[in-house]
Amino acid sequence: MILVLIAIWMGFLWLLVKIGILKKWHLWMKLSPIAVWAIAMLIIFLPLNWTAPVGPVSVVVDSVQVRPAVGGPVIDVPVTSWTPLKVGDILFRIDPEPFAASLRQAEARLELAEDQLKRKNELLARQAIAQAEADAAEAEVEMARAQFNLARIDLENTEVKAPLDGIVPSVVLLPGNQVTAGQDVMAVIDVSQPVIAMIVKQNAIRNVKPGQPAEVVFRSLPGRTFSATVGKLHLSARHAEYDADGKTPDVPEVLDTTYAIELEVDLQGATLAPGTSGQAAILTDKVGPLGIIRQITLRMTTWLNYL
Protein backbone atom coordinates (compact mmCIF):
# COMPACT_ATOMS: atom_id res chain seq x y z
CA MET A 1 0.00 0.00 0.00
CA ILE A 2 2.88 2.39 0.72
CA LEU A 3 4.21 1.75 -2.76
CA VAL A 4 0.82 2.69 -4.17
CA LEU A 5 0.82 5.97 -2.22
CA ILE A 6 4.34 6.76 -3.40
CA ALA A 7 3.35 5.94 -6.97
CA ILE A 8 0.33 8.29 -6.71
CA TRP A 9 2.55 11.04 -5.30
CA MET A 10 5.16 10.64 -8.01
CA GLY A 11 2.44 10.61 -10.64
CA PHE A 12 1.10 13.86 -9.21
CA LEU A 13 4.54 15.46 -9.39
CA TRP A 14 5.00 14.21 -12.96
CA LEU A 15 1.68 15.78 -13.90
CA LEU A 16 2.74 19.11 -12.39
CA VAL A 17 5.91 19.04 -14.46
CA LYS A 18 4.05 17.91 -17.56
CA ILE A 19 1.53 20.78 -17.51
CA GLY A 20 4.21 23.31 -16.64
CA ILE A 21 3.31 24.25 -13.10
CA LEU A 22 6.76 23.00 -12.09
CA LYS A 23 9.48 23.72 -14.60
CA LYS A 24 11.73 20.75 -13.86
CA TRP A 25 12.45 17.92 -11.44
CA HIS A 26 14.00 19.48 -8.34
CA LEU A 27 16.06 17.64 -5.77
CA TRP A 28 13.27 17.86 -3.17
CA MET A 29 10.93 16.18 -5.62
CA LYS A 30 13.34 13.29 -6.09
CA LEU A 31 13.73 12.88 -2.32
CA SER A 32 10.04 13.34 -1.53
CA PRO A 33 9.19 9.60 -1.75
CA ILE A 34 11.24 9.12 1.43
CA ALA A 35 9.13 11.74 3.18
CA VAL A 36 5.93 10.17 1.86
CA TRP A 37 7.06 6.78 3.16
CA ALA A 38 7.93 8.19 6.62
CA ILE A 39 4.70 10.17 6.93
CA ALA A 40 2.57 7.22 5.80
CA MET A 41 4.26 4.92 8.31
CA LEU A 42 3.82 7.33 11.22
CA ILE A 43 0.30 8.49 10.47
CA ILE A 44 -1.31 5.43 8.86
CA PHE A 45 0.44 2.08 9.03
CA LEU A 46 1.97 2.10 12.51
CA PRO A 47 -1.39 3.02 14.16
CA LEU A 48 -3.07 0.33 12.05
CA ASN A 49 -0.88 -2.32 13.71
CA TRP A 50 -2.81 -1.98 16.97
CA THR A 51 -6.12 -0.45 15.82
CA ALA A 52 -6.70 -2.86 12.93
CA PRO A 53 -4.32 -5.79 13.49
CA VAL A 54 -3.70 -8.15 10.61
CA GLY A 55 -2.44 -11.73 10.81
CA PRO A 56 -2.43 -15.15 9.19
CA VAL A 57 -5.44 -17.43 9.53
CA SER A 58 -5.80 -21.17 9.19
CA VAL A 59 -8.69 -23.63 9.21
CA VAL A 60 -8.11 -26.09 12.05
CA VAL A 61 -10.17 -29.08 13.19
CA ASP A 62 -10.35 -31.30 16.25
CA SER A 63 -8.54 -34.61 15.98
CA VAL A 64 -8.23 -37.76 18.07
CA GLN A 65 -5.11 -39.90 17.95
CA VAL A 66 -6.00 -43.57 17.60
CA ARG A 67 -3.97 -45.82 19.90
CA PRO A 68 -4.85 -49.51 20.10
CA ALA A 69 -5.35 -50.91 23.59
CA VAL A 70 -3.65 -54.18 22.58
CA GLY A 71 -0.78 -55.01 20.29
CA GLY A 72 -0.24 -57.52 17.56
CA PRO A 73 -0.21 -58.00 13.78
CA VAL A 74 -2.85 -56.14 11.77
CA ILE A 75 -5.00 -58.43 9.63
CA ASP A 76 -7.49 -55.98 8.09
CA VAL A 77 -7.72 -52.23 7.40
CA PRO A 78 -11.19 -51.51 5.97
CA VAL A 79 -10.92 -47.72 6.29
CA THR A 80 -9.59 -45.51 3.47
CA SER A 81 -8.28 -41.95 3.46
CA TRP A 82 -10.84 -39.12 3.35
CA THR A 83 -13.83 -41.50 3.55
CA PRO A 84 -16.56 -40.29 5.93
CA LEU A 85 -16.79 -42.38 9.09
CA LYS A 86 -19.39 -42.80 11.80
CA VAL A 87 -18.51 -43.38 15.44
CA GLY A 88 -18.04 -47.12 15.95
CA ASP A 89 -16.94 -47.90 12.38
CA ILE A 90 -14.06 -50.37 12.19
CA LEU A 91 -10.71 -48.70 11.49
CA PHE A 92 -8.56 -51.84 11.58
CA ARG A 93 -8.43 -55.31 13.10
CA ILE A 94 -5.63 -56.95 15.06
CA ASP A 95 -5.16 -60.73 14.90
CA PRO A 96 -7.68 -61.91 17.53
CA GLU A 97 -6.52 -65.54 17.87
CA PRO A 98 -4.01 -65.04 20.75
CA PHE A 99 -6.63 -63.05 22.69
CA ALA A 100 -9.35 -65.58 21.93
CA ALA A 101 -7.07 -68.29 23.32
CA SER A 102 -6.43 -66.21 26.44
CA LEU A 103 -10.19 -65.76 26.83
CA ARG A 104 -10.80 -69.52 26.58
CA GLN A 105 -8.06 -70.10 29.13
CA ALA A 106 -9.56 -67.53 31.50
CA GLU A 107 -13.01 -69.05 31.02
CA ALA A 108 -11.66 -72.49 31.95
CA ARG A 109 -10.01 -71.09 35.09
CA LEU A 110 -13.26 -69.37 36.04
CA GLU A 111 -15.27 -72.59 35.60
CA LEU A 112 -12.74 -74.51 37.67
CA ALA A 113 -12.78 -71.89 40.42
CA GLU A 114 -16.60 -71.88 40.50
CA ASP A 115 -16.66 -75.69 40.70
CA GLN A 116 -14.17 -75.65 43.58
CA LEU A 117 -16.23 -73.00 45.37
CA LYS A 118 -19.34 -75.15 45.00
CA ARG A 119 -17.57 -78.15 46.58
CA LYS A 120 -16.12 -75.98 49.36
CA ASN A 121 -19.58 -74.67 50.20
CA GLU A 122 -20.92 -78.22 50.36
CA LEU A 123 -18.10 -79.24 52.73
CA LEU A 124 -18.68 -76.09 54.77
CA ALA A 125 -22.36 -77.00 55.12
CA ARG A 126 -21.30 -80.35 56.62
CA GLN A 127 -18.74 -78.49 58.78
CA ALA A 128 -15.96 -80.49 57.13
CA ILE A 129 -13.85 -77.41 56.45
CA ALA A 130 -13.31 -74.05 58.09
CA GLN A 131 -15.03 -70.86 56.89
CA ALA A 132 -11.64 -69.47 55.83
CA GLU A 133 -11.25 -72.16 53.14
CA ALA A 134 -14.63 -71.31 51.64
CA ASP A 135 -13.77 -67.60 51.71
CA ALA A 136 -10.48 -68.30 49.92
CA ALA A 137 -12.31 -70.29 47.25
CA GLU A 138 -14.75 -67.40 46.78
CA ALA A 139 -11.82 -64.99 46.39
CA GLU A 140 -10.34 -67.28 43.72
CA VAL A 141 -13.63 -67.09 41.83
CA GLU A 142 -13.60 -63.28 41.94
CA MET A 143 -10.01 -63.15 40.67
CA ALA A 144 -10.78 -65.65 37.91
CA ARG A 145 -13.87 -63.64 36.91
CA ALA A 146 -11.80 -60.44 36.75
CA GLN A 147 -9.20 -62.15 34.55
CA PHE A 148 -12.00 -63.43 32.32
CA ASN A 149 -13.43 -59.92 31.93
CA LEU A 150 -10.01 -58.49 31.11
CA ALA A 151 -9.42 -61.20 28.51
CA ARG A 152 -12.85 -60.49 27.00
CA ILE A 153 -12.09 -56.77 26.81
CA ASP A 154 -8.71 -57.46 25.19
CA LEU A 155 -10.43 -59.59 22.55
CA GLU A 156 -12.98 -56.85 21.88
CA ASN A 157 -10.15 -54.32 21.56
CA THR A 158 -8.67 -56.21 18.60
CA GLU A 159 -11.31 -54.36 16.58
CA VAL A 160 -10.26 -50.70 16.72
CA LYS A 161 -13.23 -48.41 16.08
CA ALA A 162 -13.68 -44.75 15.16
CA PRO A 163 -14.04 -42.64 18.33
CA LEU A 164 -16.07 -39.94 16.56
CA ASP A 165 -17.71 -39.01 13.28
CA GLY A 166 -15.08 -37.77 10.85
CA ILE A 167 -12.40 -38.87 8.44
CA VAL A 168 -8.92 -40.36 8.50
CA PRO A 169 -6.76 -37.95 6.47
CA SER A 170 -4.00 -40.44 5.78
CA VAL A 171 -4.16 -44.23 6.07
CA VAL A 172 -0.65 -45.68 6.02
CA LEU A 173 -1.40 -48.78 8.09
CA LEU A 174 -1.35 -52.01 6.08
CA PRO A 175 -2.28 -55.61 6.89
CA GLY A 176 0.83 -57.27 8.27
CA ASN A 177 2.04 -54.21 10.17
CA GLN A 178 2.78 -54.82 13.84
CA VAL A 179 1.13 -52.35 16.20
CA THR A 180 1.95 -51.74 19.84
CA ALA A 181 -0.54 -50.98 22.59
CA GLY A 182 -0.66 -47.25 23.32
CA GLN A 183 1.20 -46.27 20.13
CA ASP A 184 -0.31 -43.75 17.68
CA VAL A 185 -1.16 -45.40 14.39
CA MET A 186 -3.64 -42.97 12.78
CA ALA A 187 -5.80 -39.94 13.51
CA VAL A 188 -9.49 -39.26 13.06
CA ILE A 189 -10.39 -35.62 12.46
CA ASP A 190 -13.76 -33.96 12.92
CA VAL A 191 -14.42 -31.90 9.79
CA SER A 192 -17.97 -30.98 10.79
CA GLN A 193 -16.92 -28.13 13.08
CA PRO A 194 -13.86 -26.37 11.66
CA VAL A 195 -12.37 -23.45 13.56
CA ILE A 196 -10.88 -20.49 11.73
CA ALA A 197 -8.00 -19.30 13.89
CA MET A 198 -6.10 -16.04 13.47
CA ILE A 199 -2.63 -15.45 14.92
CA VAL A 200 -1.99 -11.98 16.37
CA LYS A 201 1.17 -10.58 17.95
CA GLN A 202 1.02 -9.53 21.57
CA ASN A 203 1.55 -5.83 20.85
CA ALA A 204 -1.45 -5.85 18.48
CA ILE A 205 -4.03 -7.64 20.61
CA ARG A 206 -4.59 -5.02 23.31
CA ASN A 207 -7.61 -3.46 21.57
CA VAL A 208 -9.14 -6.75 20.34
CA LYS A 209 -12.40 -7.80 21.99
CA PRO A 210 -15.02 -10.48 21.23
CA GLY A 211 -17.77 -9.25 18.92
CA GLN A 212 -15.63 -6.85 16.90
CA PRO A 213 -15.94 -7.00 13.09
CA ALA A 214 -13.24 -8.59 10.98
CA GLU A 215 -12.58 -9.50 7.36
CA VAL A 216 -10.89 -12.63 6.04
CA VAL A 217 -9.40 -13.69 2.70
CA PHE A 218 -8.23 -17.18 1.79
CA ARG A 219 -5.55 -18.23 -0.66
CA SER A 220 -7.79 -20.95 -2.08
CA LEU A 221 -10.58 -18.43 -2.79
CA PRO A 222 -8.86 -15.50 -4.54
CA GLY A 223 -10.83 -12.37 -5.25
CA ARG A 224 -13.28 -12.95 -2.39
CA THR A 225 -13.48 -11.18 0.98
CA PHE A 226 -15.51 -12.68 3.83
CA SER A 227 -16.99 -10.78 6.75
CA ALA A 228 -16.33 -12.17 10.22
CA THR A 229 -16.70 -11.51 13.92
CA VAL A 230 -14.15 -11.98 16.69
CA GLY A 231 -15.05 -15.01 18.81
CA LYS A 232 -12.86 -16.46 21.54
CA LEU A 233 -9.45 -15.06 22.49
CA HIS A 234 -6.88 -17.65 23.58
CA LEU A 235 -4.47 -15.50 25.58
CA SER A 236 -1.94 -18.13 26.52
CA ALA A 237 1.38 -19.38 25.22
CA ARG A 238 3.17 -22.68 25.76
CA HIS A 239 6.40 -21.09 27.03
CA ALA A 240 4.43 -19.18 29.69
CA GLU A 241 3.89 -22.40 31.65
CA TYR A 242 6.12 -24.54 33.84
CA ASP A 243 5.70 -27.76 35.78
CA ALA A 244 4.81 -27.28 39.44
CA ASP A 245 7.15 -30.05 40.64
CA GLY A 246 8.39 -28.28 43.73
CA LYS A 247 11.64 -27.17 42.14
CA THR A 248 12.64 -23.60 41.49
CA PRO A 249 11.41 -22.91 37.93
CA ASP A 250 13.93 -22.11 35.24
CA VAL A 251 13.94 -18.59 33.86
CA PRO A 252 11.74 -18.85 30.76
CA GLU A 253 13.09 -17.98 27.38
CA VAL A 254 11.85 -14.59 26.23
CA LEU A 255 9.95 -15.03 22.98
CA ASP A 256 7.81 -12.83 20.77
CA THR A 257 4.52 -14.27 21.99
CA THR A 258 1.60 -14.67 19.61
CA TYR A 259 -1.99 -15.43 20.53
CA ALA A 260 -4.79 -17.23 18.74
CA ILE A 261 -8.21 -15.74 18.03
CA GLU A 262 -11.22 -17.72 16.85
CA LEU A 263 -13.14 -15.96 14.09
CA GLU A 264 -16.78 -16.60 13.26
CA VAL A 265 -16.76 -16.26 9.48
CA ASP A 266 -19.70 -16.00 7.10
CA LEU A 267 -18.40 -18.35 4.41
CA GLN A 268 -21.30 -17.60 2.05
CA GLY A 269 -21.65 -21.30 1.26
CA ALA A 270 -17.94 -21.85 0.55
CA THR A 271 -16.26 -25.04 1.76
CA LEU A 272 -12.78 -24.91 3.24
CA ALA A 273 -10.51 -27.92 3.67
CA PRO A 274 -8.62 -28.33 6.95
CA GLY A 275 -5.34 -26.44 6.77
CA THR A 276 -6.62 -23.77 4.36
CA SER A 277 -4.66 -20.58 5.02
CA GLY A 278 -5.25 -16.91 4.46
CA GLN A 279 -5.13 -13.52 6.11
CA ALA A 280 -7.50 -11.59 8.34
CA ALA A 281 -7.86 -8.07 9.71
CA ILE A 282 -9.78 -7.04 12.82
CA LEU A 283 -11.40 -3.61 12.86
CA THR A 284 -11.25 -2.65 16.53
CA ASP A 285 -13.17 0.14 18.20
CA LYS A 286 -10.09 2.38 17.93
CA VAL A 287 -9.56 2.16 14.17
CA GLY A 288 -11.79 5.01 12.99
CA PRO A 289 -11.51 6.08 9.34
CA LEU A 290 -8.14 4.31 8.99
CA GLY A 291 -10.08 1.07 8.76
CA ILE A 292 -10.75 1.85 5.10
CA ILE A 293 -7.00 1.63 4.43
CA ARG A 294 -6.84 -1.80 6.08
CA GLN A 295 -9.84 -2.99 4.07
CA ILE A 296 -8.21 -1.81 0.85
CA THR A 297 -4.94 -3.60 1.63
CA LEU A 298 -6.82 -6.80 2.45
CA ARG A 299 -8.63 -6.67 -0.89
CA MET A 300 -5.32 -6.13 -2.64
CA THR A 301 -4.10 -9.29 -0.92
CA THR A 302 -7.03 -11.40 -2.10
CA TRP A 303 -6.56 -10.28 -5.70
CA LEU A 304 -2.86 -11.09 -5.47
CA ASN A 305 -3.91 -14.62 -4.46
CA TYR A 306 -4.64 -15.25 -8.14
CA LEU A 307 -0.88 -15.20 -8.75
Side-chain angles (χ1 to χ4, degrees):
M1 188 62 183
I2 291 181
L3 294 178
V4 173
L5 294 176
I6 292 174
I8 293 173
W9 171 250
M10 295 303 291
F12 175 70
L13 293 179
W14 175 84
L15 182 61
L16 293 180
V17 174
K18 186 70 174 178
I19 63 179
I21 296 179
L22 295 175
K23 302 301 180 182
K24 63 176 183 178
W25 283 90
H26 300 282
L27 179 61
W28 69 267
M29 297 167 64
K30 298 177 181 178
L31 297 178
S32 63
I34 300 176
V36 172
W37 177 85
I39 293 171
M41 287 296 295
L42 290 174
I43 297 178
I44 300 176
F45 294 101
L46 285 180
L48 278 178
N49 285 336
W50 59 81
T51 60
V54 65
V57 297
S58 181
V59 179
V60 297
V61 293
D62 292 332
S63 66
V64 175
Q65 297 298 318
V66 177
R67 303 181 179 96
V70 296
V74 175
I75 61 172
D76 184 28
V77 185
V79 68
T80 56
S81 300
W82 293 99
T83 300
L85 294 169
K86 294 293 183 181
V87 60
D89 286 351
I90 302 297
L91 298 177
F92 60 93
R93 294 182 177 88
I94 299 169
D95 184 7
E97 187 52 39
F99 303 96
S102 296
L103 179 61
R104 291 192 296 268
Q105 190 177 51
E107 184 178 17
R109 282 198 295 265
L110 176 59
E111 291 175 353
L112 177 61
E114 289 175 339
D115 184 60
Q116 289 178 341
L117 175 61
K118 182 179 179 180
R119 292 199 300 269
K120 294 287 186 180
N121 285 333
E122 291 173 353
L123 293 173
L124 179 63
R126 297 198 301 268
Q127 297 183 347
I129 61 172
Q131 179 68 45
E133 289 189 46
D135 292 342
E138 186 172 358
E140 288 291 337
V141 170
E142 291 301 321
M143 287 189 291
R145 183 173 291 115
Q147 292 173 351
F148 172 79
N149 288 332
L150 289 175
R152 178 179 52 80
I153 293 172
D154 284 345
L155 180 59
E156 293 174 353
N157 284 333
T158 59
E159 287 190 342
V160 181
K161 302 177 180 179
L164 48 79
D165 294 349
I167 60 170
V168 177
S170 178
V171 178
V172 297
L173 192 65
L174 298 173
N177 288 148
Q178 186 82 17
V179 296
T180 303
Q183 182 183 37
D184 294 342
V185 293
M186 65 175 61
V188 178
I189 63 176
D190 181 6
V191 295
S192 63
Q193 295 180 326
V195 173
I196 298 176
M198 176 184 179
I199 303 301
V200 177
K201 293 183 178 180
Q202 57 181 319
N203 63 339
I205 203 170
R206 53 186 171 181
N207 294 317
V208 177
K209 299 175 183 178
Q212 291 175 335
E215 291 188 339
V216 187
V217 298
F218 298 99
R219 289 188 59 84
S220 61
L221 299 171
R224 300 181 64 178
T225 304
F226 300 89
S227 59
T229 304
V230 175
K232 298 178 182 178
L233 278 65
H234 299 277
L235 302 181
S236 180
R238 187 184 301 274
H239 62 272
E241 305 168 8
Y242 64 87
D243 294 330
D245 56 3
K247 300 178 182 177
T248 302
D250 295 332
V251 177
E253 181 182 0
V254 178
L255 300 174
D256 187 10
T257 303
T258 57
Y259 298 112
I261 299 173
E262 288 187 29
L263 297 179
E264 300 171 1
V265 183
D266 179 10
L267 294 176
Q268 306 167 20
T271 302
L272 299 174
T276 299
S277 62
Q279 195 173 50
I282 298 172
L283 305 176
T284 71
D285 302 335
K286 306 289 186 180
V287 66
L290 288 180
I292 298 175
I293 301 296
R294 180 63 82 200
Q295 290 175 305
I296 292 173
T297 59
L298 199 65
R299 281 156 178 78
M300 292 171 61
T301 299
T302 190
W303 285 105
L304 289 174
N305 285 339
Y306 276 110
L307 302 179

